[in-house]
Amino acid sequence: MKIKKILILLLTAVFCTTSINAAVNKYKVFKKAKYVGTMTSYEVDDNIYFDLNDITKHLNAKKNIYSVSKKIVLSIGNKKLNISRDMVDFDGISTANIPSAFILRASKYFLNSNIFLSPTFAKIFELKLDLDDKSRTIKIYDDINITSVKNFSYTEKTRIVVYMTKKLDYKLDTVGKTLVLTVFDGSYIVQNDIIDINDGNVENIKMTQDPNLFKLVIEMGDNFDGYESSTLKDPDRIVIDIKSKPATVENRISGVISPSIPDVSGSSSSFVLPDKLKPNGDEKTVVVIDAGHGGKDPGGRAVSGKKEKQINLEIAKKLYDILKKDDKFEVILTRSSDYFIPLYERSKIANDAKCDLFISIHANAHKDKNVNGYEIYFLSEKASDPWANEVADYENASINYEEGTFDYGGAAMVLHSMARNEYINEGSKLAAYVSRYMSKDTPFNNNGIKQAAFYVLRGTYAPGILVEVGFMTNKKDKKNLDNPSVQEKVARSIYKGILDYEDQNK
Ligand SMILES: [Zn+2]
């Protein structure tokens, strides 16, 4: 009896393993063409999995296994890869559905290789993996120094920008209507890539990676009229301007690509710059007023009295009424009552309206109830101080209420960096003008002008400020925030600041 039972068990075991068509293999791992060891793979049907310990070692990562919540977290550099059963989160910037992202076999964890082969992984972690299942080799490129290639179409030129992590030598050669950029020791995220531009001036850009060279081949269109190149710092980048013949202006693309189109599929992207900083003659100045939070997102916690979302809306509406009476302005509210709008939608409303100035209104909170006063923020990638960073993280956390996964780190949010520098400059001026009146005409103390990376400012193609009017956690500030006549003073101060800013820009 006993023997028979064991036999049945054995047969079942054999049957099970063969039926799912699984195989265990060893892959050879190379870094910079140098052999560095092996990785154990587990192949089930068409999926290749790698031993968690092996991949952790070869990526210089740290691993945390949460067996209760069924989650594995790999820390690579200062970034985190969150792997759940069917979902992978790339450092909070992007997510991907990867069925059976990890599996457990013989009490060992294996990770789906698709996680590491995706362009999203390469782009966010600046690590490229190439897998060849015929020769069973994996190449790891952890020395990525070219992070992206972007193009911008202006009326008189097409600008191509190569973003690098350090300064690299390069040369440019022309062969007929082809311009070739060679970057020495350049290492790009993907092996082969192509960007179709077709703006009359440039047809497309092809990118190829040779062992020690990165090549960018630019195919010029019919309107090509010479080129210029230069380098810029912070971050290091090569800028190539392809000039077009003036007669062709009317054939050019114009308009704004909506920021609500997530794009993380590739490392390259196209963008047509809105020209917002030109004087627009007799046209009205379009001001978009954004009352922070709303609906299911109440904003900062108020101990008593009005919620942040309500205070923000009341001040926003007062500012709206004031601007509405001045026929120099066209005014738009991102929300006019108590409902939820995602942050990217707020930017989209502003961009669709071809907004000239963007004003976001919020109220602050602090664990120390003595902290009080107003702060005016303009956009920056780096916060001016740790507190500014906390405020930005706090306001950006509104995305936790959003459904779906808008990619706040993706192309649409980051690629207009050149225009953004100008907006930042203008935003800082506007902040200064508004602050003058806030400190003079309102009861709130002046905590100064600060910088931080607010999503709502980053996605908007116009100079913008975010006003933290006062602290809801401070008794005196809260009383003032709730008070309609103080709210009116705040709205007037912002209005006067806008007027001064406009005067100065004439
Ligand atoms: Zn807020």
Side-chain angles (χ1 to χ4, degrees):
M1 269 305 263
K2 212 176 180 187
I3 292 167
K4 201 179 166 191
K5 233 181 191 171
I6 291 168
L7 253 176
I8 290 167
L9 274 173
L10 266 173
L11 280 170
T12 328
V14 169
F15 178 76
C16 282
T17 38
T18 49
S19 72
I20 54 167
N21 199 15
V24 176
N25 285 303
K26 288 264 183 216
Y27 271 72
K28 292 193 277 294
V29 184
F30 293 86
K31 277 185 189 174
K32 281 187 186 171
K34 194 182 157 224
Y35 174 76
V36 291
T38 60
M39 269 207 253
T40 303
S41 70
Y42 187 89
E43 287 155 44
V44 196
D45 298 328
D46 286 336
N47 282 317
I48 301 170
Y49 288 83
F50 288 114
D51 184 309
L52 172 64
N53 290 327
D54 290 346
I55 199 137
T56 303
K57 186 183 101 191
H58 287 301
L59 296 182
N60 292 322
K62 283 199 190 87
K63 64 167 194 283
N64 280 301
I65 301 165
Y66 301 91
S67 41
V68 177
S69 51
K70 295 196 171 60
K71 203 172 81 175
I72 296 171
V73 179
L74 285 188
S75 305
I76 306 170
N78 56 3
K79 292 174 180 152
K80 284 193 163 51
L81 184 66
N82 274 282
I83 306 161
S84 311
R85 268 287 150 86
D86 299 313
M87 176 69 84
V88 178
D89 177 311
F90 299 90
D91 200 41
I93 292 169
S94 179
T95 55
N97 284 307
I98 298 183
S100 306
F102 71 81
I103 53 171
L104 188 59
R105 288 292 180 275
S107 68
K108 271 188 164 181
Y109 284 98
F110 288 84
L111 303 181
N112 195 322
S113 59
N114 290 329
I115 302 168
F116 304 97
L117 299 174
S118 71
T120 309
F121 175 81
K123 192 180 161 196
I124 293 170
F125 291 89
E126 291 174 18
L127 260 173
K128 181 171 65 176
L129 266 76
D130 279 343
L131 179 147
D132 181 5
D133 56 357
K134 290 207 178 65
S135 61
R136 294 222 172 87
T137 52
I138 299 165
K139 288 178 188 156
I140 299 175
Y141 302 89
D142 53 5
D143 56 345
I144 301 294
N145 51 29
I146 296 173
T147 50
S148 62
V149 175
K150 283 160 191 167
N151 64 288
F152 305 86
S153 293
Y154 297 85
T155 43
E156 77 288 5
K157 70 188 176 205
T158 303
R159 174 168 279 194
I160 294 158
V161 186
V162 179
Y163 290 82
M164 305 174 291
T165 58
K166 61 176 181 183
K167 195 171 186 284
L168 295 169
D169 290 329
Y170 71 96
K171 64 167 184 166
L172 278 158
D173 303 293
T174 40
V175 188
K177 279 189 141 188
T178 306
L179 178 63
V180 181
L181 167 77
T182 307
V183 183
F184 300 100
D185 294 319
S187 178
Y188 187 48
I189 280 171
V190 286
Q191 207 67 31
N192 291 295
D193 205 358
I194 182 161
I195 305 175
D196 283 314
I197 299 179
N198 291 316
D199 61 1
N201 196 20
V202 174
E203 284 178 8
N204 60 52
I205 323 172
K206 288 189 198 81
M207 287 150 272
T208 53
Q209 178 69 61
D210 292 340
N212 293 309
L213 293 175
F214 166 71
K215 275 192 177 163
L216 193 130
V217 180
I218 305 164
E219 293 297 340
M220 257 77 79
D222 294 334
N223 303 329
F224 169 61
D225 192 29
Y227 72 91
E228 275 171 9
S229 80
S230 58
T231 55
L232 290 169
K233 290 194 79 63
D234 297 318
D236 280 300
R237 52 209 195 270
I238 300 166
V239 179
I240 306 165
D241 285 333
I242 317 284
K243 290 186 276 180
S244 51
K245 290 176 194 138
T248 60
V249 168
E250 63 274 15
N251 299 330
R252 306 294 305 243
I253 303 164
S254 65
V256 183
I257 288 172
S258 155
S260 64
I261 303 164
D263 175 16
V264 280
S265 53
S267 49
S268 48
S269 44
S270 309
F271 181 68
V272 181
L273 279 179
D275 203 353
K276 294 302 296 179
L277 294 163
K278 269 187 192 164
N280 51 3
D282 295 333
E283 279 175 47
K284 289 186 178 192
T285 300
V286 181
V287 182
V288 173
I289 308 165
D290 175 50
H293 313 280
K296 61 186 171 182
D297 170 14
R301 188 161 298 176
V303 189
S304 62
K306 295 172 183 172
K307 289 180 178 145
E308 187 198 340
K309 60 176 183 177
Q310 189 185 348
I311 297 166
N312 299 341
L313 183 64
E314 287 172 1
I315 297 171
K317 279 182 160 175
K318 288 186 166 67
L319 177 58
Y320 177 88
D321 289 340
I322 297 167
L323 283 162
K324 201 80 189 155
K325 283 183 199 128
D326 186 332
D327 58 13
K328 289 196 289 295
F329 299 99
E330 191 184 318
V331 212
I332 292 157
L333 283 166
T334 55
R335 68 177 176 98
S336 54
S337 62
D338 185 20
Y339 51 86
F340 177 76
I341 338 169
L343 293 177
Y344 62 84
E345 266 301 321
R346 296 168 191 262
S347 301
K348 189 177 186 301
I349 291 168
N351 295 333
D352 287 350
K354 303 233 181 318
C355 154
D356 295 300
L357 295 173
F358 184 81
I359 316 279
S360 189
I361 294 167
H362 287 259
N364 227 330
H366 201 285
K367 52 181 183 289
D368 179 353
K369 60 184 191 309
N370 294 315
V371 175
N372 66 83
Y374 73 84
E375 287 164 356
I376 302 177
Y377 286 86
F378 63 97
L379 177 67
S380 164
E381 289 311 299
K382 283 202 184 94
S384 49
D385 56 69
W387 168 249
N389 221 347
E390 255 181 66
V391 174
D393 283 349
Y394 179 74
E395 300 297 4
N396 290 341
S398 176
I399 62 167
N400 295 331
Y401 292 94
E402 294 177 8
E403 277 139 29
T405 49
F406 178 75
D407 170 29
Y408 282 96
M413 293 296 280
V414 295
L415 48 71
H416 61 301
S417 57
M418 275 179 310
R420 204 204 290 145
N421 283 338
E422 289 180 70
Y423 300 151
I424 287 172
N425 219 343
E426 294 300 305
S428 72
K429 280 193 225 164
L430 177 60
Y433 286 117
V434 171
S435 181
R436 268 190 215 168
Y437 293 101
M438 282 287 288
S439 73
K440 200 155 60 81
D441 299 341
T442 75
F444 299 100
N445 286 322
N446 182 356
N447 287 344
I449 294 161
K450 299 180 178 193
Q451 288 174 267
F454 292 95
Y455 291 149
V456 74
L457 296 181
R458 198 203 278 179
T460 304
Y461 310 144
I465 55 171
L466 187 143
V467 185
E468 294 279 359
V469 178
F471 281 80
M472 294 184 299
T473 39
N474 177 266
K475 221 174 157 184
K476 186 173 151 259
D477 269 12
K478 185 64 179 33
K479 221 179 132 194
N480 284 322
L481 284 165
D482 287 1
N483 182 338
S485 71
V486 175
Q487 291 178 350
E488 183 70 29
K489 284 178 182 161
V490 171
R492 286 233 158 255
S493 301
I494 298 171
Y495 170 65
K496 286 182 187 166
I498 293 172
L499 288 181
D500 282 4
Y501 170 84
E502 286 287 291
D503 277 350
Q504 155 278 151
N505 257 7
K506 267 176 192 160

